[in-house]
Amino acid sequence: MAPGTSLPFLLLATLLAAAPVSPAAEPEAFDVRRHLSTVTRYDVSRGSNNAVAAPSISDECRVIHLNLVARHGTRAPTKKRVKELDRLALRLGALVNEARQGPDSEAVKKIPSWMKGWESPWKGKVTGKGGELVSEGEEELFNFANRVKERFQDLFDEEYHPEVFSIRATQVPRASASAVAFGLGLLSGKGKLGAGKNRAFSVLSESRASDICLRFFDSCQTYKDYRKRKEPDVDKQKEPILEQVTSALVNRYRLSFTKQDVSSLWFLCKQEASLLNITNHACQLFSEAEVQSLEWTDDLEGFVLKGYGESINYKMGLPLLKDVVQSMEDAITAKEENYPDGTYEKARLRFAHAETLVPFTCLLGLFLEGSDFEKIQREEPLDLPPMPPQKRNWKGGLVAPFASNNMLVLHQCPGKTGDNGISQGQNSSYFVQVLHNEAPVSMPGCGNKDFCPFEEFKEKIVQPHLKHDFDMLCKIKKPDAAEEPSSFTSKLYNFFLDLFWRKGYVVNAEDVKAEL
């Protein structure tokens, strides 16, 4: 023992030396499937969701109504995109042959093995326009429905009726199929059909031409004009990234890639990783930094053409926002007037597209940076999302992955609202909770609370948007009375007037009208 060293100190030192050293937390391994923007699978996105913790909701509060706005599940590529991949196959074959015939023997060694003789997995498999829901997409919605049913047991314990649990979808097969998959999960075990004791249920759809609630983007001429004008600008903003990545790939693989080649290879990467779980083919061509840069270009496009880039993108979603609020007000009326169960709607479940979900998310003011909420209240365009490696809130893989959804949960709490946000006393109070991809999110318009008094929700978040009229905003002309289709009587009236005029008779039009 060294002079002056106590025995207890030696024992402590010995114990510390013998104790296992906890390794430093290793950074999470890079997973390209988390960086596919809006092509991200739902389960992958949920695994990387950094939403706020669940709020402290009083046990006395209970859910009385649920609004769901969901995107369809994972889908196959469209016919247009399948043709692009077929062209890519021909192009890769030509590049490989060019390298083999060239003087640089080392170049051939750098060609990834998968690229030699590659053909698109979707070659010859597209039917119609493509883009149909795939089995993985069906599972996303089916499993999601089971979680919703489990989470809101009291709400869904009631016997199914189409006017109590309303299921709506756009007239696009992948959206209606998503509604069916969700309905099967929600109502499994509640019927008599088959081993799963399923039951039939109703899915309502409006024609594409008139569906301003879920396909408002199809009816809004102002938005169409904006998008047509803005798309070339978006392409220019993406171009420097594509040029940098193209240059890097040419140097890395000694193949004469063009920007179009790289764009198609990035699309192939997203399809392989999302639909086929293949990450060691097209995705492996890119470095981590290049993947993040390409992801940013996709997020940029979604931000400018669907999101906060211009107020028309979300203002046109006003009919959907009104529909959501009206359904909650109807539920409150039913509760206040003691309607019996089975006589009023308890859930309105909608299935549509990213072009529906993203504007609705913006109307709620989610995924903003800093004080951006005040800017959207003034309908000012926001700054573009920061480029990597800077962090950003607006990521397509979090905002609108496949099967992404916003659930607005209406709670009834006894008593009056106190300073702590929970009610006290005898009268009922109502609160809105927003769940994005099933996780509670804070609402900047409600003081960054995620449990917002309904009246405050209407005043701070909804009311500023209500100054607009959809028809005026979107330049939709309603037919004048003179332009409306004539009735049989009107046609007969005009026929006789014309006949008398041709015969040379002078008649009183009002007399003819009276006789008819």
Side-chain angles (χ1 to χ4, degrees):
M1 183 184 301
T5 304
S6 67
L7 184 60
F9 177 83
L10 282 177
L11 288 173
L12 179 61
T14 304
L15 288 171
L16 288 173
V21 178
S22 300
E26 294 184 6
E28 189 175 351
F30 183 81
D31 186 349
V32 69
R33 295 174 303 169
R34 295 182 183 273
H35 300 275
L36 306 179
S37 194
T38 56
V39 188
T40 304
R41 287 283 302 277
Y42 186 59
D43 56 347
V44 173
S45 178
R46 285 186 72 224
S48 57
N49 194 337
N50 296 319
V52 298
S56 54
I57 300 174
S58 168
D59 291 338
E60 295 180 321
C61 298
R62 65 191 188 103
V63 176
I64 64 167
H65 194 270
L66 176 68
N67 269 282
L68 168 67
V69 178
R71 184 190 179 195
H72 59 75
T74 300
R75 63 171 172 85
T78 61
K79 186 176 183 178
K80 179 181 177 181
R81 287 298 207 170
V82 167
K83 288 182 177 179
E84 179 182 346
L85 293 179
D86 289 342
R87 291 193 297 270
L88 177 64
L90 296 174
R91 175 68 179 153
L92 293 180
L95 288 173
V96 170
N97 288 335
E98 181 183 307
R100 284 172 172 164
Q101 295 169 10
D104 188 356
S105 59
E106 290 298 313
V108 178
K109 296 179 182 178
K110 290 181 175 290
I111 299 172
S113 58
W114 68 267
M115 197 180 288
K116 300 169 185 175
W118 179 82
E119 284 192 345
S120 168
W122 296 278
K123 182 178 180 180
K125 292 183 179 180
V126 66
T127 302
K129 294 183 179 180
E132 68 280 357
L133 195 71
V134 297
S135 58
E136 291 83 359
E138 294 175 5
E139 291 176 355
E140 286 168 341
L141 272 301
F142 183 83
N143 294 335
F144 172 37
N146 277 299
R147 291 191 297 272
V148 168
K149 179 171 61 176
E150 178 68 23
R151 185 171 195 162
F152 305 110
Q153 289 182 26
D154 292 344
L155 198 66
F156 291 102
D157 271 351
E158 190 172 323
E159 179 72 17
Y160 167 76
H161 188 281
E163 292 184 12
V164 176
F165 304 110
S166 167
I167 304 177
R168 309 176 184 203
T170 67
Q171 274 194 342
V172 177
R174 57 181 171 270
S176 56
S178 294
V180 170
F182 185 93
L184 286 171
L186 188 69
L187 300 173
S188 60
K190 292 183 176 285
K192 299 179 180 180
L193 301 177
K197 293 186 177 180
N198 297 310
R199 65 156 300 153
F201 54 91
S202 169
V203 176
L204 303 175
S205 292
E206 285 194 39
S207 71
R208 296 193 191 192
S210 62
D211 189 357
I212 64 170
C213 195
L214 294 181
R215 288 190 68 86
F216 41 78
F217 48 91
D218 261 353
S219 304
C220 190
Q221 189 59 46
T222 307
Y223 171 68
K224 290 179 179 179
D225 293 343
Y226 164 76
R227 182 163 185 142
K228 185 177 181 180
R229 184 176 71 253
K230 203 68 180 177
E231 281 175 340
D233 294 340
V234 172
D235 290 339
K236 286 181 182 178
Q237 289 172 303
K238 294 164 64 172
E239 196 163 336
I241 298 291
L242 280 174
E243 286 177 348
Q244 292 172 14
V245 177
T246 300
S247 177
L249 262 62
V250 168
N251 291 332
R252 192 176 303 146
Y253 299 104
R254 301 187 188 180
L255 296 172
S256 305
F257 291 122
T258 64
K259 285 183 292 184
Q260 180 56 56
D261 295 334
V262 171
S263 178
S264 296
L265 285 166
W266 172 236
F267 175 73
L268 174 61
C269 163
K270 292 185 291 185
Q271 297 300 299
E272 286 184 330
S274 182
L275 275 70
L276 307 176
N277 215 29
I278 295 173
T279 59
N280 60 351
H281 285 180
C283 292
Q284 210 164 48
L285 294 173
F286 307 103
S287 69
E288 292 181 17
E290 289 160 0
V291 166
Q292 291 173 336
S293 293
L294 291 168
E295 176 194 22
W296 179 83
T297 64
D298 289 342
D299 291 350
L300 164 76
E301 182 173 334
F303 185 89
V304 174
L305 300 182
K306 298 187 186 85
Y308 291 117
E310 186 66 37
S311 63
I312 185 61
N313 292 347
Y314 50 88
K315 285 191 298 188
M316 65 176 172
L318 184 59
L320 174 57
L321 182 64
K322 285 182 174 180
D323 186 62
V324 167
V325 173
Q326 185 62 55
S327 69
M328 289 193 282
E329 288 182 330
D330 290 346
I332 290 173
T333 299
K335 279 295 172 187
E336 291 296 309
E337 298 184 6
N338 294 316
Y339 289 8
D341 286 347
T343 62
Y344 63 93
E345 184 185 66
K346 288 196 170 183
R348 191 168 295 188
L349 312 165
R350 308 167 185 82
F351 301 86
H353 311 272
E355 291 85 354
T356 311
L357 182 89
V358 172
F360 183 65
T361 299
C362 294
L363 284 170
L364 298 177
L366 308 183
F367 297 100
L368 290 167
E369 306 280 350
S371 61
D372 280 347
F373 184 75
E374 286 74 19
K375 289 184 179 179
I376 69 164
Q377 296 279 281
R378 297 192 297 268
E379 298 178 356
E380 298 174 6
L382 303 186
D383 294 335
L384 297 179
M387 291 182 66
Q390 299 178 74
K391 291 184 178 181
R392 64 184 184 277
N393 289 334
W394 186 272
K395 295 192 71 174
L398 294 177
V399 177
F402 286 128
S404 53
N405 54 84
N406 284 318
M407 287 189 282
L408 280 77
V409 188
L410 182 63
H411 297 258
Q412 180 187 32
C413 302
K416 296 179 181 179
T417 306
D419 294 337
N420 61 357
I422 300 302
S423 52
Q424 301 166 344
Q426 297 300 317
N427 298 325
S428 291
S429 297
Y430 298 91
F431 293 80
V432 178
Q433 181 189 29
V434 175
L435 306 178
H436 181 80
N437 295 344
E438 303 176 59
V441 289
S442 59
M443 292 172 269
C446 196
N448 287 316
K449 297 191 292 285
D450 55 337
F451 197 57
C452 185
F454 181 61
E455 292 303 321
E456 186 176 346
F457 174 81
K458 288 197 298 181
E459 178 188 351
K460 301 284 183 64
I461 296 175
V462 178
Q463 189 63 38
H465 298 299
L466 298 183
K467 60 189 175 190
H468 296 289
D469 174 79
F470 180 79
D471 291 345
M472 294 285 291
L473 185 72
C474 291
K475 299 179 181 176
I476 296 174
K477 293 182 179 179
K478 290 185 177 180
D480 295 331
E483 296 174 345
E484 291 177 358
S486 300
S487 66
F488 174 76
T489 302
S490 299
K491 290 178 181 177
L492 195 61
Y493 161 69
N494 290 325
F495 169 77
F496 278 111
L497 276 182
D498 184 62
L499 179 64
F500 291 149
W501 179 82
R502 289 176 183 275
K503 294 290 185 179
Y505 296 113
V506 178
V507 296
N508 187 317
E510 291 302 319
D511 291 343
V512 174
K513 197 169 189 179
E515 289 298 323
L516 293 174

